[in-house]
mmCIF file of all heavy atoms in Angstrom:
data_model
loop_
_atom_site.group_PDB
_atom_site.id
_atom_site.type_symbol
_atom_site.label_atom_id
_atom_site.label_comp_id
_atom_site.label_asym_id
_atom_site.label_seq_id
_atom_site.Cartn_x
_atom_site.Cartn_y
_atom_site.Cartn_z
ATOM 1 N N ALA A 1 115.792 115.570 115.632
ATOM 2 C CA ALA A 1 116.064 114.078 115.577
ATOM 3 C C ALA A 1 116.699 113.736 114.119
ATOM 4 O O ALA A 1 117.571 112.866 114.099
ATOM 5 C CB ALA A 1 114.683 113.381 115.623
ATOM 6 N N LEU A 2 116.297 114.495 113.026
ATOM 7 C CA LEU A 2 116.751 114.383 111.830
ATOM 8 C C LEU A 2 118.338 114.634 111.747
ATOM 9 O O LEU A 2 119.125 113.841 111.331
ATOM 10 C CB LEU A 2 116.148 115.240 110.876
ATOM 11 C CG LEU A 2 116.688 115.181 109.299
ATOM 12 C CD1 LEU A 2 116.288 113.777 108.655
ATOM 13 C CD2 LEU A 2 116.187 116.286 108.515
ATOM 14 N N TYR A 3 118.696 115.708 112.447
ATOM 15 C CA TYR A 3 120.031 116.162 112.530
ATOM 16 C C TYR A 3 120.886 115.112 113.247
ATOM 17 O O TYR A 3 122.111 114.985 112.888
ATOM 18 C CB TYR A 3 120.119 117.464 113.194
ATOM 19 C CG TYR A 3 121.491 118.238 113.054
ATOM 20 C CD1 TYR A 3 121.727 118.731 111.747
ATOM 21 C CD2 TYR A 3 122.361 118.491 114.050
ATOM 22 C CE1 TYR A 3 123.024 119.396 111.546
ATOM 23 C CE2 TYR A 3 123.477 119.158 113.898
ATOM 24 C CZ TYR A 3 123.898 119.662 112.574
ATOM 25 O OH TYR A 3 124.972 120.298 112.363
ATOM 26 N N ARG A 4 120.263 114.462 114.196
ATOM 27 C CA ARG A 4 121.124 113.424 114.879
ATOM 28 C C ARG A 4 121.514 112.210 113.919
ATOM 29 O O ARG A 4 122.503 111.473 114.277
ATOM 30 C CB ARG A 4 120.423 112.821 116.073
ATOM 31 C CG ARG A 4 120.298 113.781 117.272
ATOM 32 C CD ARG A 4 119.936 113.100 118.548
ATOM 33 N NE ARG A 4 118.556 112.705 118.534
ATOM 34 C CZ ARG A 4 117.514 113.432 118.916
ATOM 35 N NH1 ARG A 4 117.768 114.651 119.370
ATOM 36 N NH2 ARG A 4 116.264 113.012 118.796
ATOM 37 N N ASN A 5 120.724 112.060 112.881
ATOM 38 C CA ASN A 5 121.068 111.043 111.956
ATOM 39 C C ASN A 5 122.139 111.459 110.743
ATOM 40 O O ASN A 5 122.255 110.768 109.876
ATOM 41 C CB ASN A 5 119.724 110.634 111.224
ATOM 42 C CG ASN A 5 118.799 109.891 112.239
ATOM 43 O OD1 ASN A 5 119.258 109.278 113.180
ATOM 44 N ND2 ASN A 5 117.529 109.847 111.979
ATOM 45 N N VAL A 6 122.549 112.641 110.907
ATOM 46 C CA VAL A 6 123.534 113.200 109.981
ATOM 47 C C VAL A 6 124.916 112.991 110.668
ATOM 48 O O VAL A 6 125.065 113.347 111.896
ATOM 49 C CB VAL A 6 123.371 114.719 109.639
ATOM 50 C CG1 VAL A 6 124.413 115.112 108.668
ATOM 51 C CG2 VAL A 6 122.035 114.910 109.037
ATOM 52 N N SER A 7 125.919 112.456 109.860
ATOM 53 C CA SER A 7 127.273 112.332 110.353
ATOM 54 C C SER A 7 128.172 112.676 109.237
ATOM 55 O O SER A 7 127.788 112.508 108.053
ATOM 56 C CB SER A 7 127.469 110.883 111.020
ATOM 57 O OG SER A 7 127.354 109.971 109.971
ATOM 58 N N ASP A 8 129.413 113.031 109.584
ATOM 59 C CA ASP A 8 130.447 113.285 108.621
ATOM 60 C C ASP A 8 131.097 111.902 108.308
ATOM 61 O O ASP A 8 131.690 111.311 109.152
ATOM 62 C CB ASP A 8 131.421 114.264 109.052
ATOM 63 C CG ASP A 8 130.923 115.678 109.132
ATOM 64 O OD1 ASP A 8 130.089 115.972 108.246
ATOM 65 O OD2 ASP A 8 131.322 116.536 109.932
ATOM 66 N N VAL A 9 131.082 111.440 107.061
ATOM 67 C CA VAL A 9 131.699 110.220 106.547
ATOM 68 C C VAL A 9 132.563 110.673 105.436
ATOM 69 O O VAL A 9 132.216 111.189 104.427
ATOM 70 C CB VAL A 9 130.600 109.275 106.058
ATOM 71 C CG1 VAL A 9 131.261 108.023 105.632
ATOM 72 C CG2 VAL A 9 129.602 108.936 107.142
ATOM 73 N N ASN A 10 133.966 110.248 105.610
ATOM 74 C CA ASN A 10 134.919 110.743 104.666
ATOM 75 C C ASN A 10 134.855 112.134 104.249
ATOM 76 O O ASN A 10 135.046 112.588 103.173
ATOM 77 C CB ASN A 10 134.691 109.881 103.373
ATOM 78 C CG ASN A 10 135.106 108.337 103.633
ATOM 79 O OD1 ASN A 10 135.959 107.913 104.482
ATOM 80 N ND2 ASN A 10 134.382 107.466 102.961
ATOM 81 N N GLY A 11 134.646 112.947 105.335
ATOM 82 C CA GLY A 11 134.643 114.447 105.118
ATOM 83 C C GLY A 11 133.442 115.062 104.532
ATOM 84 O O GLY A 11 133.496 116.264 104.214
ATOM 85 N N GLU A 12 132.292 114.315 104.393
ATOM 86 C CA GLU A 12 131.171 114.835 103.860
ATOM 87 C C GLU A 12 129.887 114.481 104.567
ATOM 88 O O GLU A 12 129.863 113.334 105.236
ATOM 89 C CB GLU A 12 130.936 114.344 102.446
ATOM 90 C CG GLU A 12 131.921 114.916 101.430
ATOM 91 C CD GLU A 12 131.746 114.544 99.992
ATOM 92 O OE1 GLU A 12 131.308 113.347 99.758
ATOM 93 O OE2 GLU A 12 131.891 115.440 99.135
ATOM 94 N N ALA A 13 128.952 115.380 104.738
ATOM 95 C CA ALA A 13 127.686 115.131 105.470
ATOM 96 C C ALA A 13 126.909 114.064 104.905
ATOM 97 O O ALA A 13 126.515 114.057 103.669
ATOM 98 C CB ALA A 13 126.926 116.394 105.747
ATOM 99 N N VAL A 14 126.462 113.040 105.652
ATOM 100 C CA VAL A 14 125.733 111.876 105.244
ATOM 101 C C VAL A 14 124.491 111.758 106.127
ATOM 102 O O VAL A 14 124.655 111.586 107.343
ATOM 103 C CB VAL A 14 126.497 110.576 105.119
ATOM 104 C CG1 VAL A 14 125.542 109.397 104.662
ATOM 105 C CG2 VAL A 14 127.656 110.671 104.175
ATOM 106 N N LEU A 15 123.252 111.884 105.489
ATOM 107 C CA LEU A 15 122.060 111.613 106.342
ATOM 108 C C LEU A 15 121.548 110.180 106.062
ATOM 109 O O LEU A 15 121.442 109.717 104.917
ATOM 110 C CB LEU A 15 120.827 112.606 105.742
ATOM 111 C CG LEU A 15 119.547 112.295 106.219
ATOM 112 C CD1 LEU A 15 119.402 112.438 107.779
ATOM 113 C CD2 LEU A 15 118.635 113.304 105.616
ATOM 114 N N LYS A 16 121.312 109.501 107.142
ATOM 115 C CA LYS A 16 120.813 108.108 107.108
ATOM 116 C C LYS A 16 119.265 108.017 107.232
ATOM 117 O O LYS A 16 118.871 108.664 108.183
ATOM 118 C CB LYS A 16 121.502 107.244 108.157
ATOM 119 C CG LYS A 16 121.172 105.678 107.921
ATOM 120 C CD LYS A 16 121.984 104.850 108.868
ATOM 121 C CE LYS A 16 121.771 103.360 108.634
ATOM 122 N NZ LYS A 16 122.648 102.493 109.547
ATOM 123 N N PHE A 17 118.674 107.491 106.229
ATOM 124 C CA PHE A 17 117.196 107.304 106.374
ATOM 125 C C PHE A 17 116.774 106.086 107.181
ATOM 126 O O PHE A 17 117.496 105.198 107.461
ATOM 127 C CB PHE A 17 116.569 107.195 104.911
ATOM 128 C CG PHE A 17 116.699 108.494 104.119
ATOM 129 C CD1 PHE A 17 117.347 108.446 102.915
ATOM 130 C CD2 PHE A 17 116.265 109.676 104.573
ATOM 131 C CE1 PHE A 17 117.509 109.602 102.216
ATOM 132 C CE2 PHE A 17 116.422 110.850 103.920
ATOM 133 C CZ PHE A 17 116.967 110.856 102.676
ATOM 134 N N ALA A 18 115.442 105.937 107.481
ATOM 135 C CA ALA A 18 114.985 104.808 108.310
ATOM 136 C C ALA A 18 115.219 103.467 107.587
ATOM 137 O O ALA A 18 115.316 102.465 108.260
ATOM 138 C CB ALA A 18 113.446 105.100 108.576
ATOM 139 N N ASP A 19 115.220 103.462 106.335
ATOM 140 C CA ASP A 19 115.292 102.115 105.624
ATOM 141 C C ASP A 19 116.754 101.775 105.389
ATOM 142 O O ASP A 19 117.088 100.766 104.650
ATOM 143 C CB ASP A 19 114.566 102.088 104.293
ATOM 144 C CG ASP A 19 115.068 103.084 103.272
ATOM 145 O OD1 ASP A 19 116.015 103.931 103.647
ATOM 146 O OD2 ASP A 19 114.639 102.962 102.094
ATOM 147 N N GLY A 20 117.707 102.569 105.900
ATOM 148 C CA GLY A 20 119.163 102.238 105.696
ATOM 149 C C GLY A 20 119.766 103.051 104.539
ATOM 150 O O GLY A 20 121.049 102.937 104.322
ATOM 151 N N SER A 21 118.877 103.604 103.720
ATOM 152 C CA SER A 21 119.436 104.455 102.558
ATOM 153 C C SER A 21 120.053 105.685 103.094
ATOM 154 O O SER A 21 119.958 106.105 104.229
ATOM 155 C CB SER A 21 118.284 104.775 101.646
ATOM 156 O OG SER A 21 117.670 103.623 101.082
ATOM 157 N N THR A 22 120.978 106.239 102.299
ATOM 158 C CA THR A 22 121.708 107.489 102.715
ATOM 159 C C THR A 22 121.608 108.610 101.652
ATOM 160 O O THR A 22 121.461 108.275 100.458
ATOM 161 C CB THR A 22 123.188 107.046 102.933
ATOM 162 O OG1 THR A 22 123.802 106.650 101.800
ATOM 163 C CG2 THR A 22 123.420 106.048 104.065
ATOM 164 N N LEU A 23 121.749 109.761 102.078
ATOM 165 C CA LEU A 23 121.869 110.932 101.268
ATOM 166 C C LEU A 23 123.102 111.730 101.581
ATOM 167 O O LEU A 23 123.315 112.206 102.735
ATOM 168 C CB LEU A 23 120.682 111.768 101.493
ATOM 169 C CG LEU A 23 120.688 113.187 100.783
ATOM 170 C CD1 LEU A 23 120.750 112.978 99.186
ATOM 171 C CD2 LEU A 23 119.421 114.006 101.178
ATOM 172 N N THR A 24 124.009 111.871 100.658
ATOM 173 C CA THR A 24 125.264 112.552 100.989
ATOM 174 C C THR A 24 125.177 114.012 100.252
ATOM 175 O O THR A 24 124.763 114.245 99.224
ATOM 176 C CB THR A 24 126.461 111.793 100.181
ATOM 177 O OG1 THR A 24 126.564 110.579 100.835
ATOM 178 C CG2 THR A 24 127.672 112.630 100.358
ATOM 179 N N PHE A 25 125.614 114.888 101.121
ATOM 180 C CA PHE A 25 125.638 116.349 100.730
ATOM 181 C C PHE A 25 127.129 116.581 100.333
ATOM 182 O O PHE A 25 127.966 116.901 101.129
ATOM 183 C CB PHE A 25 125.217 117.238 101.844
ATOM 184 C CG PHE A 25 123.776 117.082 102.124
ATOM 185 C CD1 PHE A 25 123.381 116.150 102.984
ATOM 186 C CD2 PHE A 25 122.841 117.973 101.625
ATOM 187 C CE1 PHE A 25 121.997 116.051 103.360
ATOM 188 C CE2 PHE A 25 121.474 117.873 101.834
ATOM 189 C CZ PHE A 25 121.018 116.897 102.785
ATOM 190 N N HIS A 26 127.362 116.460 98.918
ATOM 191 C CA HIS A 26 128.741 116.508 98.537
ATOM 192 C C HIS A 26 129.393 117.887 98.823
ATOM 193 O O HIS A 26 128.784 118.980 98.628
ATOM 194 C CB HIS A 26 128.788 116.303 96.943
ATOM 195 C CG HIS A 26 130.221 116.633 96.363
ATOM 196 N ND1 HIS A 26 131.232 115.708 96.588
ATOM 197 C CD2 HIS A 26 130.637 117.569 95.584
ATOM 198 C CE1 HIS A 26 132.297 116.255 95.909
ATOM 199 N NE2 HIS A 26 131.983 117.368 95.312
ATOM 200 N N GLY A 27 130.670 117.887 99.454
ATOM 201 C CA GLY A 27 131.377 119.025 99.588
ATOM 202 C C GLY A 27 130.983 119.696 100.889
ATOM 203 O O GLY A 27 131.535 120.814 101.183
ATOM 204 N N LEU A 28 130.026 119.096 101.714
ATOM 205 C CA LEU A 28 129.582 119.837 102.897
ATOM 206 C C LEU A 28 129.797 118.964 104.130
ATOM 207 O O LEU A 28 129.859 117.731 103.958
ATOM 208 C CB LEU A 28 128.079 120.234 102.855
ATOM 209 C CG LEU A 28 127.636 121.149 101.653
ATOM 210 C CD1 LEU A 28 126.255 121.329 101.727
ATOM 211 C CD2 LEU A 28 128.263 122.574 101.891
ATOM 212 N N HIS A 29 130.007 119.636 105.254
ATOM 213 C CA HIS A 29 130.041 118.889 106.516
ATOM 214 C C HIS A 29 128.741 119.086 107.240
ATOM 215 O O HIS A 29 127.946 120.017 106.927
ATOM 216 C CB HIS A 29 131.148 119.506 107.427
ATOM 217 C CG HIS A 29 132.567 119.377 106.830
ATOM 218 N ND1 HIS A 29 133.376 120.410 106.622
ATOM 219 C CD2 HIS A 29 133.225 118.213 106.652
ATOM 220 C CE1 HIS A 29 134.572 119.823 106.078
ATOM 221 N NE2 HIS A 29 134.457 118.459 106.079
ATOM 222 N N LYS A 30 128.496 118.199 108.314
ATOM 223 C CA LYS A 30 127.346 118.271 109.101
ATOM 224 C C LYS A 30 127.132 119.718 109.597
ATOM 225 O O LYS A 30 125.991 120.231 109.663
ATOM 226 C CB LYS A 30 127.392 117.327 110.247
ATOM 227 C CG LYS A 30 126.168 117.322 111.211
ATOM 228 C CD LYS A 30 126.276 116.272 112.191
ATOM 229 C CE LYS A 30 125.138 116.386 113.160
ATOM 230 N NZ LYS A 30 125.077 115.205 114.150
ATOM 231 N N ALA A 31 128.282 120.335 110.059
ATOM 232 C CA ALA A 31 128.130 121.752 110.650
ATOM 233 C C ALA A 31 127.628 122.751 109.662
ATOM 234 O O ALA A 31 127.152 123.837 110.133
ATOM 235 C CB ALA A 31 129.358 122.135 111.260
ATOM 236 N N ASP A 32 127.705 122.455 108.368
ATOM 237 C CA ASP A 32 127.212 123.455 107.291
ATOM 238 C C ASP A 32 125.723 123.411 107.153
ATOM 239 O O ASP A 32 125.140 124.338 106.607
ATOM 240 C CB ASP A 32 127.799 123.106 105.962
ATOM 241 C CG ASP A 32 129.335 123.249 106.100
ATOM 242 O OD1 ASP A 32 129.897 124.025 106.685
ATOM 243 O OD2 ASP A 32 129.976 122.251 105.341
ATOM 244 N N LEU A 33 124.973 122.417 107.745
ATOM 245 C CA LEU A 33 123.592 122.221 107.522
ATOM 246 C C LEU A 33 122.927 122.750 108.756
ATOM 247 O O LEU A 33 123.247 122.474 109.952
ATOM 248 C CB LEU A 33 123.285 120.747 107.251
ATOM 249 C CG LEU A 33 123.988 120.115 106.064
ATOM 250 C CD1 LEU A 33 123.738 118.701 105.951
ATOM 251 C CD2 LEU A 33 123.563 120.830 104.786
ATOM 252 N N SER A 34 121.644 123.232 108.623
ATOM 253 C CA SER A 34 120.866 123.795 109.706
ATOM 254 C C SER A 34 119.438 123.475 109.318
ATOM 255 O O SER A 34 119.013 122.946 108.200
ATOM 256 C CB SER A 34 121.110 125.270 109.901
ATOM 257 O OG SER A 34 120.836 126.068 108.835
ATOM 258 N N TYR A 35 118.527 123.877 110.323
ATOM 259 C CA TYR A 35 117.095 123.538 110.233
ATOM 260 C C TYR A 35 116.427 124.100 108.939
ATOM 261 O O TYR A 35 115.593 123.470 108.338
ATOM 262 C CB TYR A 35 116.241 124.061 111.441
ATOM 263 C CG TYR A 35 116.157 125.477 111.539
ATOM 264 C CD1 TYR A 35 114.974 126.098 111.038
ATOM 265 C CD2 TYR A 35 117.123 126.315 112.063
ATOM 266 C CE1 TYR A 35 114.844 127.445 111.095
ATOM 267 C CE2 TYR A 35 117.009 127.738 112.060
ATOM 268 C CZ TYR A 35 115.799 128.235 111.611
ATOM 269 O OH TYR A 35 115.583 129.719 111.621
ATOM 270 N N ASP A 36 116.896 125.279 108.487
ATOM 271 C CA ASP A 36 116.184 125.887 107.342
ATOM 272 C C ASP A 36 116.641 125.271 106.012
ATOM 273 O O ASP A 36 116.148 125.754 105.030
ATOM 274 C CB ASP A 36 116.459 127.387 107.394
ATOM 275 C CG ASP A 36 117.945 127.774 107.172
ATOM 276 O OD1 ASP A 36 118.779 126.847 107.373
ATOM 277 O OD2 ASP A 36 118.205 129.053 106.982
ATOM 278 N N ASP A 37 117.482 124.299 106.110
ATOM 279 C CA ASP A 37 117.889 123.528 104.868
ATOM 280 C C ASP A 37 117.006 122.348 104.571
ATOM 281 O O ASP A 37 117.153 121.638 103.568
ATOM 282 C CB ASP A 37 119.452 123.062 104.903
ATOM 283 C CG ASP A 37 120.365 124.181 105.042
ATOM 284 O OD1 ASP A 37 120.187 125.218 104.438
ATOM 285 O OD2 ASP A 37 121.354 124.004 105.851
#
């Protein structure tokens, strides 16, 4: 469910939290992230 909330925005993986806040993983795409991260 967490992974479904990650999307690529302007070429970088962005995780959206429940309160609308976001966490950007600079230099990475969604496909670079997996469960062990």
